[in-house]
Amino acid sequence: MPHYRSVDSGLKLASLPVGPSTNYADVSSMDKLTTSELNRLITHESQNKTDGNDIGHLLPFIFKSFETPLPAADTLRHTDTSLLYDPTISAWPLALPVEGQSIEQTFPLFLNSLNKALAKSFSSGTGHTLPPLWYGSHATKPIGDDAVQRKPDLCLSNKVELQWSNILVVAELTSSQYSPAERAGKTLDTKAWLIFREQPWRRFVLCLSFCNEYRELRVHVYEHSGGIVTQPVNIHQEPDKFRYIMACIVYGTRDCIGFDSTMSINPMQSRSAALWDRNVKNLSRQKKTVKNRSDSHVQLEPHSMDPYIKYLSPSSATEPPQTETESPLPSSSPNDNVIGKMKVNEHEYDLLRVLFSGQGLVGRGTVCYLARRDGEEYIIKDHWVKSYGERTQESMDIVMNEVDMLEAMKNVPGVPKLVEFWLVEVTPNQPDDTQIYRQKIHNSTMGMYRTHVRLVLKPKAHHLQEFRSRKELVRTLRDIALIQRCAYEEHRILHRDCSLNNAMIEDIEGGGSRGVLIDWEFAVRITKDNKYPTGGTGTIPFMSILALSEVAQIQYTQSQTEGTQLKTASSSKPIQIGTVEHTYLDDLESLFYVFAWVCIMFKGPAGAVRRLNEVADRPGGKVTPWLPHEWNGSPLDANACAYKKFFFVQHTTGKARLREQFAPYFQDLVTLAEEWYELVKKGETDTYFNDIIALLSKHVDTLADDEKDPQFVRDQIELQESLKGLTDKLKHISEEEEDA
């Protein structure tokens, strides 16, 4: 089956191992990134003008679980003596702009009044929840975030202190006409990405826009193959449609706004430091005590198990609840570290920790959990696999590629063992597929649909950066090279995405550890010409120079073909995705960049993140960019990434920069880095696999077996840094006094 995609070459936000760098985290740059991801992937629903009650395809589908009868809009009361909707002027008076007050102040009051009026209309025993509230408090000040500052006009949340991790729905208000390329459309793209980043377990993110003097409501749904925008509803002229949409959003079940009914998760507990490792950047936030990898301790935060609590009664609908009722999760003791539950086939797993989550808007949306069933621990990979919508054998082969690869490699040490898999079903015999949300299939969206898949894997493994000694780090890299060689020579398979996220360490029963290479979704069976579809080629900072160069060429060709980017899905002829040449040499080169990344970005064992200045010092008072910062370039410019990496490998300063940028703890590995660098620079030889493995084995043999406890080493490094900082500060004070 040909691989189609109108615009992307497979490099997106999800191909970065960390959040957007400060180089492109500003408003305009982030809007550009999210718009690029969604290019021609936003489906706008059309209106059936012959049916006045038509609300399109999407809303009845996502709101189908809401069956509560609703009163007519013109019967809803604001107070006992006044109606909320005034039929004499065909308007909601509270929704009209008020002179001297901002719409961000008045509109949430209107929406909350509507929620209150609906709540009073429900009969007791309906099981509806006390509604979350609409807030306009961040319309003029951004919600706190490390990298991206955004000011949503309105937020629906059950928390007063708003964070992207507790926002349920975002709404934007504008007096202008709606356009996908204008502010309301652009800003919602990035805000949807921020919600997905902090709540990666959602099936979709739902947003709203009120345009054209705030009277035209559109629902925007973002999922992992793009987005859908509903036809406009005039909230004043079509009040019953409007109240239905708002009732479903506020009082519907969790799946109405994008949560997954086949799992439950504690949003607060899952965010605590030791339970959440979204990416490398956030490892610096961890405050856990690490004696070894099996006895991490964290003080759990108080929490609400579910953003929704059971509705009390019509008479007390506006009163805050005294106590929260039972949540989807079982009550747990203070020492129980269960953060949620997940269904896989007929089995139910306790979720213990979020190990990893991807950060793209369009793509796999991968979340990996540490899970437990019947006292045994597993890894669950929850992700969205590219499909073609139709349940043909060819399409299913693509969906099942990782399952097939794991089966082929099942006896290889260091390759995860597949315990079970499930094509997630939202209803019996209906797999969760993003195509079902769409009213119409456009050419530009062909090949971009996603099927929701869960894999249960063994063994439990740990991130490479959580190594306990230099010897374990190098041995793990050697083991991964051995896995690559076995896959290539014995099974004729290429992994194609060797990255920091996919390099793991497994503790072996009885003592010791070994390297593990995970994520075989984009692995391929080797072809005669070594050419494969671009998607899945790798993760930007760790991709080989050749792979980056070929992707850059494809990006350039597509930019010349497509011209101006348009977010709206179109019926233009889809462009077949380009192919890149990929061999085992590219995978081995990626392993070198993984090694260098760890030795520069981390300061020691147990995931101790190094705090870097903006530039690295060089002899003679010179400065230079940090190598990982250069490698972690914009996903929109593979050519720049390829050029910087080529310059590093071929220029005479490359080896010196490695030596200068390695953290002090890793200085004993500089010789290994320099020798490996020379092999990368030399390129292909008949014995390349053996040369790399022999080099790593040589250094494994020379490294000490008796390093100190990793936590002691980490504490020692941090103490030295603190003392150096204090010394530098005293020196600075002394110099200022002398100058005075």
Side-chain angles (χ1 to χ4, degrees):
M1 176 180 289
H3 297 266
Y4 290 113
R5 175 66 178 97
S6 315
V7 292
D8 87 33
S9 58
L11 288 182
K12 303 183 284 293
L13 282 165
S15 65
L16 297 172
V18 299
S21 70
T22 54
N23 294 333
Y24 51 96
D26 57 275
V27 171
S28 60
S29 297
M30 276 307 305
D31 285 347
K32 184 178 179 181
L33 282 171
T34 52
T35 297
S36 174
E37 286 215 7
L38 294 165
N39 188 20
R40 302 179 196 261
L41 294 180
I42 299 292
T43 300
H44 286 80
E45 292 195 333
S46 57
Q47 188 169 10
N48 183 354
K49 295 183 179 180
T50 63
D51 183 1
N53 295 318
D54 177 54
I55 57 172
H57 167 79
L58 175 68
L59 296 182
F61 179 75
I62 64 174
F63 294 156
K64 60 186 175 184
S65 63
F66 186 86
E67 299 177 344
T68 303
L70 295 173
D74 57 10
T75 66
L76 295 172
R77 293 189 172 275
H78 176 44
T79 66
D80 291 339
T81 58
S82 64
L83 293 171
L84 195 59
Y85 180 78
D86 188 345
T88 63
I89 60 172
S90 298
W92 306 87
L94 292 179
L96 299 175
V98 178
E99 187 175 354
Q101 296 186 51
S102 70
I103 194 69
E104 293 85 3
Q105 291 176 312
T106 60
F107 217 80
L109 295 176
F110 159 61
L111 294 180
N112 289 328
S113 297
L114 176 60
N115 293 347
K116 179 179 177 181
L118 287 168
K120 289 181 177 180
S121 72
F122 295 141
S123 61
S124 60
T126 57
H128 284 291
T129 62
L130 189 69
L133 296 176
W134 290 97
Y135 297 93
S137 52
H138 281 276
T140 56
K141 64 177 182 178
I143 291 177
D145 184 88
D146 286 347
V148 185
Q149 301 287 307
R150 279 295 185 275
K151 296 180 284 189
D153 289 342
L154 302 181
C155 298
L156 182 69
S157 179
N158 69 315
K159 302 290 183 182
V160 176
E161 185 177 344
L162 298 177
Q163 301 292 335
W164 295 111
S165 58
N166 61 37
I167 292 173
L168 304 175
V169 178
V170 163
E172 289 299 310
L173 305 166
T174 178
S175 59
S176 304
Q177 295 279 352
Y178 170 78
S179 170
E182 296 302 322
R183 175 186 170 273
K186 283 185 175 182
T187 189
L188 284 177
D189 298 344
T190 299
K191 289 161 188 171
W193 171 74
L194 286 165
I195 294 175
F196 258 136
R197 191 189 68 167
E198 299 299 314
Q199 305 175 50
W201 38 78
R202 292 179 71 151
R203 294 168 57 232
F204 59 81
V205 170
L206 186 147
C207 302
L208 305 175
S209 65
F210 293 88
C211 302
N212 194 10
E213 300 301 330
Y214 322 111
R215 60 176 177 255
E216 288 184 357
L217 165 66
R218 289 173 176 82
V219 177
H220 303 246
V221 165
Y222 295 85
E223 27 81 333
H224 291 295
S225 60
I228 307 101
V229 180
T230 65
Q231 61 196 35
V233 170
N234 189 309
I235 67 172
H236 299 297
Q237 300 298 321
E238 302 172 286
D240 285 324
K241 286 185 183 180
F242 170 61
R243 68 93 169 82
Y244 167 74
I245 293 170
M246 300 310 294
C248 292
I249 289 173
V250 175
Y251 290 103
T253 53
R254 293 165 56 83
D255 56 302
C256 289
I257 55 172
F259 289 91
D260 190 338
S261 60
T262 66
M263 66 173 292
S264 59
I265 195 160
N266 170 352
M268 286 295 291
Q269 192 167 340
S270 65
R271 298 300 304 168
S272 63
L275 298 173
W276 175 260
D277 299 328
R278 184 177 66 246
N279 52 40
V280 176
K281 191 172 187 177
N282 279 353
L283 288 172
S284 60
R285 300 180 187 173
Q286 296 186 15
K287 297 180 180 179
K288 61 185 179 182
T289 300
V290 183
K291 294 181 180 178
N292 57 56
R293 286 191 293 263
S294 63
D295 63 356
S296 302
H297 172 75
V298 64
Q299 183 65 40
L300 299 182
E301 304 174 39
H303 59 269
S304 165
M305 295 296 254
D306 196 299
Y308 293 112
I309 53 179
K310 289 187 177 178
Y311 177 69
L312 301 179
S313 67
S315 61
S316 60
T318 61
E319 299 296 323
Q322 299 302 308
T323 59
E324 294 185 356
T325 57
E326 184 180 358
S327 80
L329 301 182
S331 60
S332 55
S333 67
N335 295 323
D336 193 347
N337 59 352
V338 174
I339 65 168
K341 288 188 176 293
M342 178 175 283
K343 179 183 177 184
V344 181
N345 295 310
E346 300 305 316
H347 295 135
E348 186 178 82
Y349 292 82
D350 290 334
L351 302 179
L352 307 180
R353 178 181 177 187
V354 179
L355 297 174
F356 166 82
S357 81
Q359 57 179 339
L361 190 57
V362 174
R364 293 181 288 171
T366 302
V367 189
C368 292
Y369 301 90
L370 176 62
R372 182 175 61 208
R373 180 169 66 87
D374 297 334
E376 192 168 355
E377 292 186 346
Y378 303 87
I379 301 294
I380 297 181
K381 179 180 180 181
D382 190 26
H383 63 315
W384 297 77
V385 179
K386 187 175 288 190
S387 68
Y388 290 87
E390 302 174 355
R391 288 288 173 260
T392 63
Q393 184 59 49
E394 202 166 9
S395 178
M396 289 306 297
D397 287 345
I398 296 171
V399 173
M400 301 294 289
N401 185 63
E402 185 166 16
V403 172
D404 294 340
M405 291 296 168
L406 291 173
E407 179 64 26
M409 300 280 291
K410 64 182 179 182
N411 295 320
V412 178
V415 174
K417 177 185 176 183
L418 180 66
V419 177
E420 64 173 322
F421 69 91
W422 186 40
L423 271 62
V424 179
E425 296 180 352
V426 287
T427 57
N429 301 315
Q430 174 61 67
D432 194 4
D433 192 299
T434 57
Q435 182 176 318
I436 61 180
Y437 299 115
R438 283 163 172 73
Q439 181 183 47
K440 179 181 178 181
I441 306 304
H442 294 275
N443 282 344
S444 66
T445 62
M446 284 177 58
M448 289 304 294
Y449 302 116
R450 300 270 168 178
T451 298
H452 195 179
V453 179
R454 285 184 185 143
L455 308 179
V456 180
L457 305 165
K458 293 279 286 183
K460 182 180 73 172
H462 310 273
H463 294 294
L464 177 67
Q465 61 268 21
E466 294 178 344
F467 65 90
R468 288 169 290 202
S469 67
R470 285 170 285 238
K471 185 163 191 165
E472 183 177 59
L473 171 63
V474 177
R475 185 173 60 237
T476 298
L477 296 169
R478 190 267 315 274
D479 292 346
I480 292 173
L482 287 168
I483 295 169
Q484 292 179 352
R485 184 174 70 177
C486 179
Y488 173 73
E489 294 181 350
E490 298 182 25
H491 301 278
R492 307 302 293 164
I493 288 173
L494 285 176
H495 183 274
R496 294 209 305 155
D497 189 14
C498 183
S499 70
L500 186 63
N501 292 329
N502 296 334
M504 309 288 283
I505 303 172
E506 174 195 356
D507 291 329
I508 301 173
E509 188 175 348
S513 64
R514 67 181 170 203
V516 176
L517 184 59
I518 66 170
D519 196 357
W520 293 78
E521 180 182 344
F522 292 112
V524 293
R525 296 190 181 275
I526 295 172
T527 61
K528 291 183 178 179
D529 61 0
N530 291 318
K531 288 188 176 292
Y532 312 97
T534 309
T537 301
T539 304
I540 288 178
F542 313 110
M543 288 173 64
S544 71
I545 298 170
L546 177 61
L548 281 170
S549 300
E550 294 204 24
V551 168
Q553 181 59 46
I554 292 171
Q555 285 184 336
Y556 174 77
T557 301
Q558 291 183 351
S559 69
Q560 298 302 303
T561 303
E562 292 158 11
T564 305
Q565 288 188 333
L566 302 171
K567 288 197 304 182
T568 303
S570 70
S571 297
S572 60
K573 184 178 179 180
I575 299 174
Q576 192 165 341
I577 282 185
T579 59
V580 296
E581 184 176 342
H582 197 107
T583 71
Y584 70 89
L585 296 169
D586 298 292
D587 283 358
L588 282 174
E589 186 177 335
S590 294
L591 191 61
F592 169 74
Y593 299 127
V594 170
F595 166 60
W597 182 285
V598 170
C599 294
I600 297 172
M601 297 295 284
F602 293 85
K603 59 186 176 185
V609 175
R610 191 179 178 195
R611 290 178 175 83
L612 303 178
N613 298 323
E614 289 189 11
V615 292
D617 294 328
R618 295 213 66 204
K622 299 178 180 178
V623 294
T624 185
W626 293 97
L627 291 169
H629 291 174
E630 288 192 337
W631 302 341
N632 193 32
S634 168
L636 301 181
D637 194 355
N639 185 60
C641 299
Y643 174 78
K644 289 174 182 177
K645 196 167 283 185
F646 177 82
F647 185 85
F648 157 69
V649 171
Q650 297 299 329
H651 197 268
T652 55
T653 61
K655 190 186 295 186
R657 290 178 71 190
L658 267 183
R659 181 172 57 252
E660 294 159 5
Q661 295 190 20
F662 267 36
Y665 172 83
F666 296 105
Q667 285 303 305
D668 287 350
L669 301 183
V670 166
T671 301
L672 166 59
E674 292 176 340
E675 293 176 2
W676 199 346
Y677 172 89
E678 290 296 334
L679 288 175
V680 171
K681 187 173 183 177
K682 183 178 180 182
E684 182 176 4
T685 65
D686 293 337
T687 60
Y688 198 76
F689 255 130
N690 292 336
D691 293 342
I692 298 295
I693 293 169
L695 174 64
L696 292 168
S697 296
K698 180 183 74 172
H699 285 271
V700 168
D701 293 340
T702 60
L703 289 167
D705 292 310
D706 57 349
E707 279 196 28
K708 297 176 182 177
D709 178 88
Q711 183 59 45
F712 176 82
V713 174
R714 179 171 173 168
D715 291 344
Q716 192 177 43
I717 292 171
E718 290 178 352
L719 178 60
Q720 291 171 349
E721 289 180 343
S722 298
L723 290 173
K724 183 179 184 302
L726 180 59
T727 301
D728 291 344
K729 186 175 182 179
L730 291 173
K731 181 180 178 181
H732 179 69
I733 293 173
S734 176
E735 290 174 348
E736 286 184 336
E737 290 176 347
E738 289 178 3
D739 292 340

